[in-house]
Amino acid sequence: MDAKANGTRWWHGATLYQVYVRSWRDTDADGYGDLPGVIAGLDYLQWLGIDGIWLSPTMPSPDQDWGYDVSDYLAVHPELGTLADMDKLIAEAGQRGIKVVLDLVPNHTSSAHAWFADARSGRDSVHRGYYVWADPVTGESEGGMGRRAGGGAPPNNWRDATGASAWTVDDASGQYYLHNFLPGQPDLNWWDPRVHEEFREIIRFWFDRGIAGFRIDVAHGLYKDAQFRDNPPLAGGTRLDGGFGLRPVYSSHQQETHAVYREWRKIADSYTPQRLLLGETWMGDLGKLASYYGQNDELDLAFNFPFVFAEFDAGALAGVVDRTLAALPAGASPVWMASNHDISRFPTRWAGGDERKARLALLILATLPGTTTFYYGDEIAMTDVAVPKELRKDPMTPGVAGGVGRDAERTPMQWDASPSAGFTAGGVTPWLPFGDNAARNVAAQREDPGSTLRLFRDLLALRRTAFAGQVAAYERLPAPPGVWSYRSGPLQVTANFTDHPMPLPGRVGEVLLRTSPGAEPGAAVGPWEGLVSKMP
Ligand code: GLC
């Protein structure tokens, strides 16, 4: 293992925690969580044993896509706080040994960004080239999605995240602009060197303020095919391979994108400590995912969606882990997670509300090598919340998760059993409805030594001691079908993914932790139980 890569990077062996800021804690009684709320929760995160937080977008935005439509990259969203709040958050987190990672959205801006306002003011405007423009197709278009008023069809068959054409006509110039997400999120044109320069400045601006890195939105997206070729049909495949019947091989995944990360990596590595580049790499092919690590000179970490969408099954999960570790360059750290703001929470998706399964999943996430990432609420096994249609807030609903949208996994943190869930002031309507906070909340679980929250905290303590800032060596151990057994650094994990007790495979050392409260020490691992022991 590359000595420089291992041990010197703060995310190796670390635990990250995603704070969806709007749903974490509301300190000004407007129904939205905010940065002072994140500061107020730092003692809790320190008690949990978190090494770093990734904040969902904090920059000014008209919120057509809840911050993923940025209108100013060098400021803080007024609903969430001020730049002074951000500075205070970075400082206060630092005092508690917690790093702060921000969300960066380089694939597109908001249509309200000053660059786009100028770009659409005319074909000769200074910023026109910052975005992707194309003339209408006037002849027969194979892939066009119907003609538009004024004549001419969209330039090709690319579709946006809702399934509509990814091209919207700009009436003033008669040209189309590209948006892989909503029309309010025009894609940037990475073929223009000025866009590179803008982002180098943005990155340095935040690194200089003391943030510890970026989670990079749609990291595989930046460049688009220069010839705008039609995307080919999707035959089979999963939601990671494409959507709406198409494989997005020309509208994203271009080779040129890698050079952007090589450039950013040099910037990130020039800081002390080195800053983290963590990509949202939404793809099913692990070889391709690994390519975003380059030769350890591109992204430091690339999110692993095949792991997220694997069945909750010993063979399926172990298989993804094996294939991931085989694909990554030597010295690279994998990164694991199971819930985020775009995906159904794992206590629902994997565990179907079964606490034993959720606890087993937490054990797996906490003992895999590399970096692990939790989503707020994972620690209390918070489940998805059924949000009635009239209260839904996700504009991407038509194209996402069969039309139900992503609100179910974005509801306010369940701090306590009070009517305001400890999230906001009494009587304030939260931006999204509360789940069953009386049944499941931080305050009650903190008091209960057998709770999932306390198990989570014990797991993180174990992880920290065992991994000590290293990417642990991983080895799959022989086990009967339905049981996943592995060595991760000094730890041996035995995870029973069946409804029956299973004999412990082979020898195990001293048992350090098991997920069933009050389990008898013995030669078996219970149904849906996980057990961590020392390597014999
Ligand atoms: C990413 C974000 C998602 C957002 C999209 C467009 O996938 O995680 O929330 O809607 O990018 O920015």
Side-chain angles (χ1 to χ4, degrees):
M1 203 157 263
D2 173 346
K4 181 168 182 275
N6 202 1
T8 58
R9 295 174 184 261
W10 66 264
W11 52 90
H12 283 185
T15 304
L16 302 181
Y17 182 100
Q18 182 188 355
V19 175
Y20 195 79
V21 180
R22 283 183 182 274
S23 291
W24 176 250
R25 209 181 259 254
D26 171 21
T27 61
D28 59 358
D30 64 356
Y32 293 112
D34 43 47
L35 293 183
V38 181
I39 296 172
L42 287 172
D43 286 339
Y44 167 69
L45 293 168
Q46 185 182 23
W47 175 81
L48 278 181
I50 300 298
D51 298 298
I53 51 178
W54 148 33
L55 304 181
S56 57
T58 48
M59 296 164 190
S61 164
D63 292 320
Q64 288 190 23
D65 188 17
W66 299 109
Y68 286 103
D69 46 327
V70 176
S71 52
D72 180 357
Y73 288 91
L74 303 179
V76 167
H77 196 308
E79 257 173 25
L80 305 181
T82 62
L83 212 43
D85 292 328
M86 183 63 87
D87 290 341
K88 187 167 172 216
L89 167 58
I90 295 166
E92 295 225 357
Q95 284 159 20
R96 292 166 177 82
I98 296 173
K99 306 271 201 293
V100 177
V101 172
L102 296 188
D103 212 312
L104 182 70
V105 187
N107 181 67
H108 46 267
T109 69
S110 162
S111 54
H113 195 290
W115 298 337
F116 193 68
D118 178 58
R120 75 188 326 180
S121 70
R123 289 190 186 219
D124 299 327
S125 63
V126 174
H127 296 92
R128 185 80 173 179
Y130 276 35
Y131 295 89
V132 184
W133 300 92
D135 290 325
V137 174
T138 46
E140 279 308 302
S141 154
E142 274 180 36
M145 299 185 64
R147 295 186 179 276
R148 300 287 172 97
N156 62 23
N157 71 350
W158 300 354
R159 297 191 188 202
D160 75 10
T162 71
S165 171
W167 299 93
T168 287
V169 79
D170 165 48
D171 289 330
S173 64
Q175 281 194 307
Y176 283 90
Y177 70 87
L178 177 70
H179 51 87
N180 269 306
F181 293 89
L182 300 172
Q185 295 169 296
D187 276 56
L188 283 162
N189 174 24
W190 281 86
W191 294 99
D192 188 325
R194 295 172 302 166
V195 171
H196 294 240
E197 185 49 36
E198 296 281 6
F199 274 85
R200 282 193 292 264
E201 275 176 34
I202 291 163
I203 287 170
R204 288 203 184 92
F205 172 86
W206 289 107
F207 285 171
D208 289 345
R209 289 197 103 83
I211 68 152
F214 283 113
R215 177 265 188 187
I216 301 160
D217 191 59
V218 197
H220 50 286
L222 315 190
Y223 275 85
K224 281 89 201 174
D225 179 45
Q227 299 169 49
F228 301 140
R229 280 170 280 190
D230 274 352
N231 279 328
L234 174 71
T238 68
R239 62 188 283 206
L240 290 176
D241 301 307
F244 312 109
L246 295 172
R247 276 198 306 132
V249 296
Y250 292 117
S251 51
S252 61
H253 295 293
Q254 301 301 293
Q255 275 306 319
E256 289 77 6
T257 300
H258 292 277
V260 176
Y261 298 130
R262 284 195 287 275
E263 204 182 315
W264 291 6
R265 178 68 173 263
K266 284 191 194 119
I267 299 175
D269 282 357
S270 73
Y271 283 78
T272 308
Q274 287 136 327
R275 305 307 202 237
L276 166 66
L277 301 177
L278 160 59
E280 185 209 18
T281 36
W282 181 273
M283 57 193 74
D285 179 336
L286 287 167
K288 209 181 248 179
L289 182 127
S291 75
Y292 284 89
Y293 286 78
Q295 307 294 321
N296 279 323
D297 59 355
E298 296 186 24
L299 298 178
D300 297 290
L301 299 175
F303 269 134
N304 192 321
F305 289 93
F307 179 81
V308 174
F309 291 116
E311 291 296 312
F312 194 60
D313 165 279
L317 289 169
V320 177
V321 170
D322 286 346
R323 290 196 298 281
T324 301
L325 297 177
L328 294 190
S333 174
V335 57
W336 315 102
M337 56 106 167
S339 306
N340 77 16
H341 63 291
D342 295 327
I343 304 161
S344 164
R345 289 174 175 275
F346 77 76
T348 297
R349 200 187 66 253
W350 272 350
D354 184 335
E355 200 80 16
R356 296 172 308 169
K357 295 182 186 175
R359 291 165 74 101
L360 180 60
L362 289 172
L363 176 138
I364 300 290
L365 287 163
T367 55
L368 284 174
T371 308
T372 199
T373 306
F374 295 95
Y375 186 46
Y376 78 100
D378 280 355
E379 69 273 32
I380 54 169
M382 217 168 119
T383 48
D384 289 346
V385 175
V387 178
K389 223 180 182 117
E390 64 281 7
L391 297 180
R392 290 189 192 156
K393 297 280 173 15
D394 179 17
M396 224 103 65
T397 296
V400 178
V404 296
R406 301 170 293 184
D407 297 312
E409 59 264 19
R410 298 177 176 182
T411 59
M413 181 63 166
Q414 297 168 194
W415 292 103
D416 62 35
S418 70
S420 58
F423 166 73
T424 184
V428 173
T429 305
W431 79 295
L432 282 171
F434 299 125
D436 189 354
N437 60 298
R440 190 178 289 283
N441 64 71
V442 170
Q445 291 200 22
R446 220 172 148 154
E447 297 304 311
D448 173 5
S451 69
T452 297
L453 177 65
R454 295 282 285 269
L455 169 75
F456 179 84
R457 183 168 179 259
D458 290 347
L459 280 165
L460 294 201
L462 196 62
R463 176 179 176 82
R464 173 166 297 173
T465 317
F467 294 172
Q470 304 287 314
V471 179
Y474 172 93
E475 184 193 353
R476 192 163 165 188
L477 301 172
V483 176
W484 180 13
S485 181
Y486 55 88
R487 176 171 95 84
S488 198
L491 304 178
Q492 181 177 3
V493 173
T494 310
N496 181 0
F497 286 77
T498 78
D499 286 322
H500 321 284
M502 293 294 266
L504 284 177
R507 282 181 341 111
V508 295
E510 182 196 341
V511 174
L512 301 170
L513 180 150
R514 47 201 312 167
T515 56
S516 318
E520 293 295 321
V525 53
W528 300 104
E529 190 190 14
L531 183 149
V532 187
S533 52
K534 286 190 183 159
M535 279 303 287

